[in-house]
Each structure stands twice: as C-alpha cells, then as structure tokens.
Amino acid sequence: MSDTADKTIPLNVRLKPSEQSAHPLAANYSNLSVAQGIPYLDFDFIEPAALAAIAKTAKDGQSAPKGLGGHLVTRVAMGVDALTRLQQQIRQVLVGLREAREETGK
C-alpha cells in the first residue's frame, strides 16, 4: 500500500478576499471549543483598558470580576484535518520567532 495519504505536499495557494475579509481585523483573545464534534475557533477583541484594569485589580489583591465583555470578531468552524494543519503551522511560526529572538539576543 502507498502512504501518500500521510504525505504533506507544499502548494502555493492564492486567496482572493471577499468583501468581509478585505481588511484585517484585530483580535487579542481566542477560544477553541467543540460542539457536535466540530471544532470552532473564536477570535475576539477585549478592550485593552479593561484587561489592564483587571490586571491592576489582581495586582492590588482585589477580587477579579466574574466576567468580562468583548466582541466576537469571527468564528471559524474547522475540520480536524484543517485544525491539525493549523497546529503545525503555528508550531513552525513559534519556532521561527523563538530562533529569531535568540539570534537577536546574541
């Protein structure tokens, strides 16, 4: 049997932006959940001032609020295979960033 199903083949993919995706959106919080066997990746934006206020509250020894409001920027439903590829790509980017930082720190 051939093991071509397990092989990764690099391809150049060109994506045309749709009206909604033509401009990048800012997200500073993400959450991964699974519903009915489908992974959902949420990208959210929480006001930086709210995050700073919570950090100050915690630093001062006060109790943190029970919840925090933000805006859902986008929700992406992904198949497990696409989620696995995303994990691999994130790992590669993090390794590259770490190596670049180590080179600059020398």
Side-chain angles (χ1 to χ4, degrees):
M1 284 197 161
S2 174
D3 63 338
T4 56
D6 297 333
K7 229 181 195 179
T8 301
I9 301 170
L11 294 174
N12 289 325
V13 177
R14 290 187 204 118
L15 303 174
K16 294 181 182 178
S18 65
E19 192 172 316
Q20 291 176 321
S21 68
H23 303 285
L25 302 171
N28 60 3
Y29 180 80
S30 61
N31 183 55
L32 180 62
S33 60
V34 178
Q36 299 176 344
I38 300 170
Y40 290 90
L41 184 55
D42 292 340
F43 293 96
D44 312 295
F45 184 81
I46 300 171
E47 288 296 331
L51 292 173
I54 290 174
K56 184 179 181 328
T57 300
K59 186 178 179 182
D60 294 343
Q62 300 172 3
S63 61
K66 299 287 184 206
L68 180 63
H71 297 287
L72 176 65
V73 175
T74 192
R75 173 172 285 164
V76 180
M78 306 178 85
V80 175
D81 56 337
L83 190 60
T84 301
R85 285 192 303 277
L86 177 61
Q87 177 196 20
Q88 293 167 348
Q89 292 170 0
I90 290 172
R91 184 175 290 137
Q92 289 172 347
V93 167
L94 291 174
V95 166
L97 289 172
R98 184 179 330 132
E99 289 173 353
R101 185 174 38 190
E102 289 172 356
E103 286 178 7
T104 339
K106 291 181 179 180

